[in-house]
Amino acid sequence: MGSDTDLDKLGFEAGQVVQELGWDDDVDEDLRQEVMDLIDGDMIEDSIDAVDIVWLWLRADDGDVADGLVDAMRDLSDDGFIVLVTPKVGRPGTVDPADLSDGADTAGMVLTTSYDVSKDWQAHKIVRPRGGRRS
């Protein structure tokens, strides 16, 4: 599936448990399938245990970035990360880049890198601060 996106740079591995939040009928189904191919399984909606990755679709009208990240952290394992997927600049629902970093800070997380993952969507890897684990 020779893709020209950066999806493979996000750190997905076969066997990881990925929780998907924020799905709506505007998501990129090909992108979802690529993620499931990388983890060799389906993404889940409801977690029964700590998940390795939360895949969070977020648009400007979905609400506050920090609130979305706090909700996403609920089922996230201590060493897991969040992939915040937002419409690219110029697409409907684009989230202001300043809101992304501010939202991550407010949620106690760190915005690391952003990647182009499809024609209409970009992904932002968000992690817990190093050495800043909460008990």
Side-chain angles (χ1 to χ4, degrees), residues 1 7 15 20-21 23 31 33 44 63 68 78 82-83 87 91 93 96 98 102 117-118 124 130:
M1 178 176 291
L7 187 63
E20 181 182 32
L21 301 174
W23 183 93
L31 181 56
Q33 187 58 55
I44 62 170
D78 285 344
I82 297 170
V83 178
R91 306 297 197 283
D96 187 319
D102 289 350
V117 291
S118 80
H124 315 277
R130 291 198 190 278

Side-chain angles (χ1 to χ4, degrees), residues 9-65:
K9 296 177 183 168
L10 280 164
F12 290 102
E13 296 174 12
Q16 286 175 320
V17 178
V18 178
Q19 181 180 26
E20 181 182 32
L21 301 174
W23 183 93
D24 205 340
D25 57 12
D26 65 342
V27 303
D28 185 322
E29 291 296 337
D30 292 337
L31 181 56
R32 292 180 76 242
Q33 187 58 55
E34 284 184 58
V35 170
M36 291 186 275
D37 289 347
L38 287 170
I39 63 172
D40 195 26
D42 291 335
M43 291 192 279
I44 62 170
E45 184 176 343
D46 297 316
S47 172
I48 50 174
D49 205 355
V51 299
D52 300 306
I53 301 168
V54 174
W55 180 272
L56 174 60
W57 301 96
L58 189 81
R59 305 138 197 95
D61 58 359
D62 286 342
D64 187 65
V65 173

Side-chain angles (χ1 to χ4, degrees), residues 10 53-56 58 65 69 81-89 94-97 100-101 104 110-117 121-127:
L10 280 164
I53 301 168
V54 174
W55 180 272
L56 174 60
L58 189 81
V65 173
L69 292 175
F81 60 90
I82 297 170
V83 178
L84 178 62
V85 190
T86 61
K88 286 185 175 177
V89 173
T94 299
V95 177
D96 187 319
L100 297 174
S101 57
V110 177
L111 175 63
T112 59
T113 315
S114 297
Y115 301 95
D116 284 337
V117 291
W121 296 88
Q122 58 187 356
H124 315 277
K125 188 171 185 177
I126 298 179
V127 300

